[in-house]
Amino acid sequence: MTAVALESSPSHLHALIGRLLATLASPNVAGETSPPLSSFNVPFHPPINDGWLTETLGRIERYRTYRRGWDGMEAPTPEPGSLTTAEYLASFFAAWPVSRRPQLALDMDGFPTFAAKSNEFYLHLTVEQTNILTWYAIVSGAEYFQDGVAFDGTALPIELAHFAD
Amino acid sequence: MSCEACRAAFNHLPAIERAACVHAASSECCGCERYKAAENSPGQITDDETLHLIISDPQHLLNGTELNPVLAMQIDRGGLSTVRDAAADNEFVITLNELQQRPGQVERYFHGMLSFRAATVRYDEGRRFVCIYDTALPGKPNHSDLMAPPYAGSNREKKRAEKARLKRLIDLIGPTFLSAARFRNGAFMQYARPPAPAIEAVNE
């Protein structure tokens, strides 16, 4: 019941978005990436009222309550750092065209996973550790695969950023 | 290879190693397809059979119609559970009850089914793609599992190949989602998510 209440509370989500933006702006928060907004290499206009972002951040907040066996089977507890990385990613994906914004879910390893599929675009991106990304994508027929790419929250890796085009 | 070796592999624990274990139980690709997991099984799954993949979490769908890789990845772990079309309604009821009673923090409801012919995923351009095992369970003789043969090579190449295969599996199954209201004329709607209460009711 708590999770439902959190999910359905706009004020809570606005606070969450505010916290994310504050984290982005404040340097040197222990254990989390904390880049200044000025270091973003892409235009970043946080869409506070964006439904996709609100839903995605709300989902991450719910995932923070998950514990081992959350899927009713053997799935491990999602790592808090990986979920923070997913929050950062979401803030970038929110600037992507709606048709390419990936959907967030947890996989059976407890890894936050973003996936999207359309005729010309497929993305399967996994946050396997804090600040570490793996993705498999098909964009206009071309295959892209990267494993263990560092992402500190300040800028999307170049190849990933190009998927927005 | 023997029936006993395959049956032991079907029950291997931990479950996440099951697909690899089943593959290792046979010297030929998908060799354990020949054997029943239990005596109550109706037998080997034919190409023409329709298989149903239960969607109990909306996050397991992409675009509301297609399989999400977070669920598809079960083919490389414990197997992706499906129900054969020959299953009586009672078998679906048992399965749906088990899903809803599963411990954990994910609320399970019957959202619908992805339904497809066995041949659709058993072959890809004439070659074997995914193995489809008869994995009958107590009270559920029409239970089956999709499992993929493991890849060799470096971890990186294996990971790439598995993700490419997940994409292909999603393509092969396609946007075949049938909602709970439409599957078997809504016979299992009592397991669907109840409609959200009206706003007035929430405020009372």
Side-chain angles (χ1 to χ4, degrees), chain B residues 55-195:
Chain B
I55 301 298
S56 63
D57 180 346
Q59 299 311 313
H60 288 163
L61 289 176
L62 283 181
N63 305 321
T65 59
E66 291 188 84
L67 182 59
N68 189 316
V70 297
L71 180 59
M73 68 187 286
Q74 292 275 9
I75 63 169
D76 292 306
R77 305 296 184 84
L80 185 60
S81 286
T82 52
V83 184
R84 303 166 73 169
D85 192 51
D89 285 357
N90 183 53
E91 204 168 324
F92 284 99
V93 166
I94 292 170
T95 304
L96 292 167
N97 269 321
E98 287 175 351
L99 274 171
Q100 290 200 331
Q101 290 165 14
R102 197 184 263 185
Q105 293 168 269
V106 179
E107 285 187 306
R108 304 275 179 187
Y109 292 101
F110 177 45
H111 296 281
M113 296 283 191
L114 287 166
S115 302
F116 50 92
R117 280 181 64 239
T120 304
V121 297
R122 186 173 258 161
Y123 312 100
D124 183 22
E125 297 178 349
R127 289 173 299 180
R128 284 308 309 256
F129 185 61
V130 168
C131 312
I132 308 176
Y133 297 114
D134 156 17
T135 48
L137 295 168
K140 299 186 290 184
N142 288 285
H143 184 269
S144 53
D145 270 299
L146 310 188
M147 297 186 196
Y151 283 113
S154 67
N155 280 345
R156 177 184 161 84
E157 178 50 29
K158 190 175 165 192
K159 198 182 272 190
R160 188 209 65 78
E162 285 181 354
K163 289 181 185 296
R165 180 163 59 191
L166 293 182
K167 159 69 163 69
R168 187 65 183 148
L169 178 67
I170 293 164
D171 284 341
L172 290 173
I173 292 177
T176 56
F177 180 70
L178 203 59
S179 70
R182 293 178 61 197
F183 182 74
R184 294 198 178 183
N185 296 316
F188 311 107
M189 281 300 288
Q190 71 268 34
Y191 298 98
R193 182 185 285 277

Side-chain angles (χ1 to χ4, degrees), chain A residues 14 25 121 153:
Chain A
H14 286 151
F121 183 63

Side-chain angles (χ1 to χ4, degrees), chain A residues 34-59:
Chain A
S34 52
L37 281 171
S38 58
S39 68
F40 282 73
N41 70 349
V42 293
F44 183 71
H45 304 289
I48 296 291
N49 295 317
D50 183 282
W52 177 91
L53 183 60
T54 302
E55 182 185 332
T56 301
L57 294 180
R59 199 170 291 162

Side-chain angles (χ1 to χ4, degrees), chain A residues 4 55 59 63 65-74 103-109 113 115-118 122-124 126 128 134-136 138 143 145-147, chain B residues 13-16 58-64 66-70 73-74 77-78 102-108 155-157 159-160 163-167 170-171:
Chain A
V4 172
E55 182 185 332
R59 199 170 291 162
Y63 294 159
T65 70
Y66 282 12
R67 296 295 174 262
R68 184 172 185 81
W70 54 267
D71 65 343
M73 299 177 78
E74 301 162 346
Q103 173 184 317
L104 176 67
L106 278 186
D107 74 13
M108 60 185 294
D109 295 319
T113 299
K117 187 171 187 291
S118 61
Y122 174 80
L123 175 65
H124 178 188
T126 308
E128 297 190 354
T134 293
W135 64 80
Y136 177 87
I138 302 282
E143 179 186 85
F145 173 69
Q146 294 293 338
D147 187 25
Chain B
L13 292 174
I16 60 168
Q59 299 311 313
H60 288 163
L61 289 176
L62 283 181
N63 305 321
E66 291 188 84
L67 182 59
N68 189 316
V70 297
M73 68 187 286
Q74 292 275 9
R77 305 296 184 84
R102 197 184 263 185
Q105 293 168 269
V106 179
E107 285 187 306
R108 304 275 179 187
N155 280 345
R156 177 184 161 84
E157 178 50 29
K159 198 182 272 190
R160 188 209 65 78
K163 289 181 185 296
R165 180 163 59 191
L166 293 182
K167 159 69 163 69
I170 293 164
D171 284 341

